[in-house]
């Protein structure tokens, strides 16, 4: 089974930037990023189809978060700019190994360990 290892994250001031990485142990079909605050539902943010590189973002992060991939390293990067205190959450990457079409957020079934992002004012 494919495993995901996340890195990056930490604390940053409002308006700052952070980059998260998600490395897969094997080939995947698509990779997505999610975030979750304590007691709240996990929210899908963005996803990328590994083969085509097509990216789909949700409105709350459009223009601020950028997803990219390095196929040779089996790594996906989430560049987060202009961060706000509301972005404070635990962030997770996830993947789907099998072809799931456009990769709806509900299809992701393998998860990274999570990394904390804290944005202070």
């Amino acid at each position: 089974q494919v495993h995901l290892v996340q890195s990056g994250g930490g604390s940053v001031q409002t308006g700052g930037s952070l980059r998260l990485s998600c490395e897969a142990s094997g080939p995947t079909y698509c990779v997505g990023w999610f975030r979750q605050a304590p007691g709240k539902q996990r929210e899908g943010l963005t996803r990328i189809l590994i083969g085509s590189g097509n990216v789909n973002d949700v409105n709350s992060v459009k223009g601020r978060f950028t997803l990219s991939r390095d196929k040779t390293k089996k790594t996906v990067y989430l560049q987060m700019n202009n961060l706000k205190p509301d972005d404070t959450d635990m962030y997770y990457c996830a993947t789907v190994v099998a072809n799931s079409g456009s990769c709806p957020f509900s299809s992701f079934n393998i998860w990274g360990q999570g990394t904390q992002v804290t944005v202070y004012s």
Side-chain angles (χ1 to χ4, degrees):
Q1 178 166 333
V2 171
H3 299 282
L4 300 178
V5 176
Q6 296 179 222
S7 59
S11 297
V12 67
Q13 201 166 19
T14 296
S17 299
L18 287 172
R19 189 175 82 158
L20 306 182
S21 300
C22 179
E23 182 178 0
S25 60
T28 60
Y29 178 71
C30 56
V31 174
W33 284 92
F34 299 73
R35 64 186 179 189
Q36 186 172 25
K40 294 190 177 180
Q41 277 197 323
R42 194 167 290 183
E43 175 191 10
L45 300 175
T46 182
R47 59 193 182 270
I48 184 169
L49 274 65
I50 299 301
S52 66
N54 287 342
V55 174
N56 193 320
D57 303 323
V58 299
N59 287 337
S60 60
V61 302
K62 274 188 192 295
R64 299 192 301 125
F65 291 10
T66 304
L67 201 55
S68 61
R69 91 258 196 247
D70 184 328
K71 292 172 71 173
T72 59
K73 294 182 180 179
K74 298 186 182 66
T75 300
V76 170
Y77 305 97
L78 180 65
Q79 177 67 41
M80 304 185 293
N81 298 326
N82 191 22
L83 284 161
K84 308 172 184 178
D86 283 349
D87 295 318
T88 296
D89 267 327
M90 184 72 78
Y91 283 71
Y92 298 88
C93 68
T95 191
V96 178
V97 175
N99 186 326
S100 58
S102 63
C103 277
F105 286 132
S106 59
S107 66
F108 290 87
N109 55 8
I110 299 172
W111 295 87
Q113 79 276 20
T115 187
Q116 179 67 38
V117 170
T118 302
V119 185
Y120 55 92
S121 53

